């Protein structure tokens, strides 16, 4: 049994068993549209407003979800019985809640801009975190101002971040989401795929004289990243000398020996600790590309927005804690309604990579089947998260959401204020009209009588019927500022935490990514050798041998 929980299987908890009964008696038949008719205060009762450190607010509207007072009460009771508060407090204390790797989970310390004492193994992390951020500020300021120049004396115009997983998805998403805050004439690019096309296409049009590479690998041994980094170095050296590498490469790493061996000046190395998980690392030195692109002051606001949400998460009672409520709703649909997926649709083109970022956060964290007590679960965990920016998504998979046979809970995200209010804000009003209409349509649906009143007859009628009662959570921000984005990411981090705590799984390891890596390393050696292979299953043997013939 884990030291951080006093139970093994969540399904054994009294609150879980009560919810099974509540689902049968209430949940299966509860109609949200009727609940609004019965309770004019429902919107106020089931929505919460988060106020950020900069005074801007984010409204979380949970009222279109399939819940009532009784369901909410029992869900909160489940959170309490599952020890969500205790595990949360242990995480914020720097305890080693990642037990399989004997590590603290302390990405929250990376956004400790109030410099509170936050200890791991008895050491206060605040001074070291602040020191790295000061280094990032100095470096990013030099790049942005033109003080830092390349080997021919020209200012940097393009920054290429080479990483994979969390060392790529976070910076890509944030730089896209905050593009409105970027510096004109300074571009960022990201290379993650070992497919040579990714690097080749990125380097097209770039100049060795004005390009800076950030190599993002904690160990500086990640195969995909170091392969791409060495190929980038070879491209650079086509026009430059070995000694010039120090002016065009920096490292987001802790392996000083390998960094120096590569040719990077260790003064331009930015480290982070073992208690920073890859999918939580955008707050760390991995965010250097973000700081360069939007400026350190904006990056600092990004951190402070997340810090403000952390304070909400740690201090707000569960009944009004938006991350707790979001996590509980996910469990409600996953484990009692049998929903297997979750849609996140930002009504914001700048946030087009947000769902992809959340996929790693959610599915790498909670794609587990073993509890903290080392038993296989007898219930579903980890939802399949997907999404694309609306309104384009309305013309692709929204058909399934509205009229398909699957229940797909959805989050819709919108900013009231656009960064680009063109045509007297016409575009934003059209965008908002779709944001409001989609959640309303999913809730109210359309019955046969309405369809017939609209003129449909005969066999066409059932095709135009919408069942409704499809749950959505609407997240309405005043504006997507750096602080607002920081808070939104922290919201989903803590939603993921709450899910994992209730399922009693370790959300912070990722053993599932290891097996494929090990096998790929062995197969890589076989691909370098001549002749057929025969050591695998017949399918894999056949595929490898055909590849070797065709690629030669």
């Amino acid at each position: 049994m884990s030291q951080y929980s006093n139970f093994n299987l969540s399904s054994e908890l009294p609150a879980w068993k009560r919810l099974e009964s509540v689902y049968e008696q209430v949940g299966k038949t509860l109609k949200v549209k009727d609940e609004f008719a019965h309770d004019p205060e429902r919107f106020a009762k089931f929505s919460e407003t988060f106020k950020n450190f900069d005074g801007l607010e984010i409204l979380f509207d949970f009222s279109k979800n399939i819940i009532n007072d009784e369901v909410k009460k029992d869900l909160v009771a489940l959170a309490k019985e599952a020890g969500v508060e205790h595990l949360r407090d242990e995480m914020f204390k720097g305890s080693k809640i990642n037990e399989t790797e004997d590590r603290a989970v302390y990405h929250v310390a990376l956004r400790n801009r109030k410099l509170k004492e936050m200890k791991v193994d008895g050491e206060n992390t605040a001074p070291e975190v602040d020191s790295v951020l000061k280094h990032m500020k100095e470096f990013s300021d030099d790049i942005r101002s033109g003080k830092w120049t390349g080997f021919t004396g020209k200012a940097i115009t393009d920054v290429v971040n080479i990483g994979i997983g969390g060392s790529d998805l976070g910076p890509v998403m944030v730089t896209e989401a905050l593009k409105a805050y970027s510096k004109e004439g300074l571009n960022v690019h990201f290379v993650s795929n070992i497919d040579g096309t990714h690097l080749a296409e990125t380097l097209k049009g770039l100049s060795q004289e004005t390009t800076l590479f950030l190599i993002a690998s904690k160990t500086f041994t990640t195969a995909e990243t170091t392969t791409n980094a060495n190929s980038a170095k070879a491209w650079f050296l086509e026009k430059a000398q070995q000694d010039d590498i120090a002016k065009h490469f920096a490292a987001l790493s802790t392996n000083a020996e390998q960094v120096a061996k590569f040719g990077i000046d260790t003064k331009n190395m930015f480290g982070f600790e073992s208690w920073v998980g890859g999918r939580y690392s955008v707050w760390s030195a991995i965010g250097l590309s973000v700081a360069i692109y939007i400026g350190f002051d904006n990056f600092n606001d990004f951190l402070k927005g997340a810090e403000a949400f952390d304070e909400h998460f740690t201090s707000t009672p569960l009944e009004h804690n938006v991350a707790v409520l979001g996590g509980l709703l996910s469990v409600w649909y996953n484990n009692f309604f049998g929903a297997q997926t979750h849609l996140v649709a930002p009504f914001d083109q700048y946030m087009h990579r947000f769902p992809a970022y959340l996929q790693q956060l959610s599915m790498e964290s909670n794609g587990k089947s073993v509890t903290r007590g080392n038993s296989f679960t007898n219930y579903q965990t980890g939802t399949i998260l997907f999404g694309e920016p609306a309104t384009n998504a309305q013309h692709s998979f929204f058909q399934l959401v509205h009229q398909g046979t699957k229940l797909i809970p959805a989050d819709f995200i919108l900013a009231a204020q656009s960064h680009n209010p063109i045509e007297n804000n016409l575009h934003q009003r059209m965008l908002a009209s779709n944001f409001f209409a989609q959640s309303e349509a999913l809730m109210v649906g359309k019955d046969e009588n309405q369809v017939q009143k609209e003129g449909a007859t005969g066999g066409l009628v059932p095709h135009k019927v919408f069942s409704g009662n499809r749950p959505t959570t609407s997240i309405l921000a005043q504006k997507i500022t750096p602080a607002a984005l920081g808070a939104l990411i922290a919201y989903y981090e803590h939603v993921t935490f709450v899910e994992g705590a209730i399922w009693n799984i370790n959300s912070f390891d990722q053993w599932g990514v290891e097996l494929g890596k090990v096998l790929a390393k062995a197969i890589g050696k076989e691909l370098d050798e001549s002749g057929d292979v025969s050591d695998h299953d017949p399918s894999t043997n056949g595929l490898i041998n055909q590849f070797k013939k065709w690629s030669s």
Side-chain angles (χ1 to χ4, degrees), residues 104-181:
V105 177
Y106 226 30
H107 50 276
V108 293
L110 297 170
R111 52 224 196 195
N112 174 24
R113 301 314 297 134
K114 293 182 179 177
L115 301 181
K116 297 177 293 186
E117 186 175 76
M118 298 183 75
K119 290 184 176 182
V120 171
D121 292 328
E123 292 290 327
N124 183 15
T125 62
E128 178 60 26
V129 168
D130 194 51
S131 175
V132 172
L133 287 171
K134 286 176 179 175
H135 188 194
M136 290 171 66
K137 173 176 169 53
E138 179 185 23
F139 188 86
S140 60
D141 285 351
D142 284 353
I143 298 295
R144 289 172 63 83
S145 69
K147 181 180 177 181
W148 181 291
T149 58
F151 69 97
T152 62
K154 293 182 180 179
I156 299 298
T157 60
D158 293 272
V159 177
V160 180
N161 186 92
I162 298 178
I164 196 167
S167 297
D168 172 80
L169 286 166
V172 169
M173 181 273 290
V174 175
T175 52
E176 285 294 301
L178 299 178
K179 186 174 284 188
Y181 296 86

Side-chain angles (χ1 to χ4, degrees), residues 264-323:
I264 296 173
D265 187 339
T266 53
K267 292 179 182 176
N268 301 321
M269 187 176 83
F270 300 80
F272 47 101
E273 299 298 327
S274 62
W275 38 259
V276 181
R279 56 192 173 278
Y280 301 94
S281 63
V282 71
W283 318 103
S284 73
I286 292 297
L288 181 59
S289 58
V290 180
I292 294 172
Y293 191 54
I294 67 173
F296 186 82
D297 288 346
N298 284 319
F299 183 74
N300 197 44
D301 282 352
F302 171 66
L303 299 178
K304 289 165 73 175
E307 178 185 40
F309 194 89
D310 290 341
E311 291 172 353
H312 167 87
F313 182 56
T314 54
S315 64
T316 306
L318 301 190
E319 292 81 359
H320 300 287
N321 193 311
V322 293

Side-chain angles (χ1 to χ4, degrees), residues 9-166:
L9 295 171
S10 304
S11 54
E12 298 171 350
L13 294 172
W16 186 286
K17 295 184 182 300
R18 279 198 307 276
L19 280 164
E20 289 177 328
S21 176
V22 167
Y23 168 72
E24 291 295 331
Q25 296 173 15
V26 178
K28 288 171 71 172
T29 57
L30 190 150
K31 301 295 181 186
V32 178
K33 182 169 64 173
D34 295 341
E35 293 297 313
F36 273 106
H38 299 152
D39 185 1
E41 299 299 316
R42 180 176 172 85
F43 170 72
K45 186 185 296 181
F46 291 105
S47 62
E48 302 288 343
T49 300
F50 164 75
K51 179 173 282 191
N52 215 325
F53 85 94
D54 58 2
L56 296 181
E57 297 180 336
I58 304 175
L59 172 64
F60 293 82
D61 175 20
F62 300 109
S63 64
K64 290 189 178 78
N65 283 282
I66 309 173
I67 56 172
N68 60 13
D69 292 333
E70 178 184 4
V71 172
K72 180 180 177 182
K73 179 181 177 182
D74 287 330
L75 285 170
V76 170
L78 176 63
K80 291 178 178 178
E81 288 184 16
V84 168
E85 293 160 298
H86 172 66
L87 190 64
R88 174 199 66 193
D89 294 345
E90 290 297 309
M91 178 173 75
F92 277 83
K93 279 166 45 180
S95 300
K96 295 181 179 180
I97 65 171
N98 178 356
E99 295 171 296
T100 62
E101 297 180 298
D102 193 32
R103 289 179 183 171
V105 177
Y106 226 30
H107 50 276
V108 293
L110 297 170
R111 52 224 196 195
N112 174 24
R113 301 314 297 134
K114 293 182 179 177
L115 301 181
K116 297 177 293 186
E117 186 175 76
M118 298 183 75
K119 290 184 176 182
V120 171
D121 292 328
E123 292 290 327
N124 183 15
T125 62
E128 178 60 26
V129 168
D130 194 51
S131 175
V132 172
L133 287 171
K134 286 176 179 175
H135 188 194
M136 290 171 66
K137 173 176 169 53
E138 179 185 23
F139 188 86
S140 60
D141 285 351
D142 284 353
I143 298 295
R144 289 172 63 83
S145 69
K147 181 180 177 181
W148 181 291
T149 58
F151 69 97
T152 62
K154 293 182 180 179
I156 299 298
T157 60
D158 293 272
V159 177
V160 180
N161 186 92
I162 298 178
I164 196 167

Side-chain angles (χ1 to χ4, degrees), residues 369-504:
S369 56
V370 177
T371 70
R372 289 179 176 275
N374 306 321
S375 298
F376 284 96
T377 65
N378 59 3
Y379 44 84
Q380 292 289 312
T381 64
T383 57
I384 301 165
L385 191 146
F386 73 104
E388 284 288 330
T391 56
N392 198 39
Q394 294 171 197
H395 297 270
S396 54
F397 52 76
F398 269 50
Q399 170 63 42
L400 178 65
V401 181
H402 277 283
Q403 287 187 305
T405 57
K406 295 173 172 58
L407 180 72
I408 303 176
D411 294 355
F412 294 161
I413 305 170
L414 175 73
Q417 299 172 31
S418 172
H419 286 288
N420 299 289
I422 59 177
E423 296 288 339
N424 196 28
N425 219 28
L426 170 65
H427 290 256
Q428 193 69 4
R429 292 197 303 274
M430 288 182 67
L431 186 68
S433 68
N434 281 275
F435 172 83
F436 301 126
Q438 286 294 332
S439 62
E440 183 177 34
L442 285 164
M443 180 187 74
V444 302
K446 186 186 289 187
D447 61 24
E448 286 189 16
N449 290 333
Q450 290 174 279
V451 172
Q452 289 168 343
K453 286 179 181 177
E454 292 172 0
T457 59
L460 187 59
V461 171
H463 293 277
K464 292 197 168 187
V465 168
F466 292 73
S467 64
N469 214 46
R470 309 228 169 181
T472 58
T473 295
S474 296
I475 302 173
L476 180 62
Q478 282 185 258
K479 190 174 186 177
I480 300 299
T481 62
L485 183 66
L488 284 172
I489 297 171
Y491 165 74
Y492 280 102
E493 284 181 353
H494 296 321
V495 164
T496 302
F497 170 89
V498 170
E499 292 171 335
I502 291 172
W503 291 324
N504 198 27

